Amino acid sequence: MSDISELDLQNLRHLIGGFDTTHCKMQEYAKEAEDPKVKQFFEKGARSAMENKQQLMKFLQ
């Protein structure tokens, strides 16, 4: 891991947690959606949030 400041680590932790929360909520919304387009919208949002979370976590490796 490169030299990441404490502030950067705190910001990463905050963003990763936010994307994780968003992913969980979007999945739940997709599960409850009846309209196929709405369901697809939330599924896409959940995938995007997970991808963003995974990209940010690469900074911690």
Side-chain angles (χ1 to χ4, degrees):
M1 182 169 83
S2 61
D3 293 332
I4 297 178
S5 71
E6 188 173 331
L7 178 60
D8 287 340
L9 285 173
Q10 288 174 353
N11 288 336
L12 280 172
R13 182 179 62 87
H14 178 75
L15 288 168
I16 289 168
F19 281 124
D20 191 49
T21 300
T22 300
H23 173 256
C24 292
K25 286 185 176 185
M26 291 277 195
Q27 275 189 319
E28 193 60 35
Y29 296 155
K31 203 182 302 181
E32 299 296 324
E34 295 180 12
D35 184 290
K37 288 186 179 184
V38 173
K39 184 179 192 76
Q40 184 180 24
F41 172 82
F42 285 123
E43 288 172 341
K44 183 178 177 183
R47 279 192 306 276
S48 177
M50 181 54 68
E51 290 167 4
N52 290 335
K53 176 187 168 188
Q54 289 171 343
Q55 285 182 325
L56 288 172
M57 289 184 71
K58 290 179 183 179
F59 288 104
L60 302 177
Q61 295 176 348

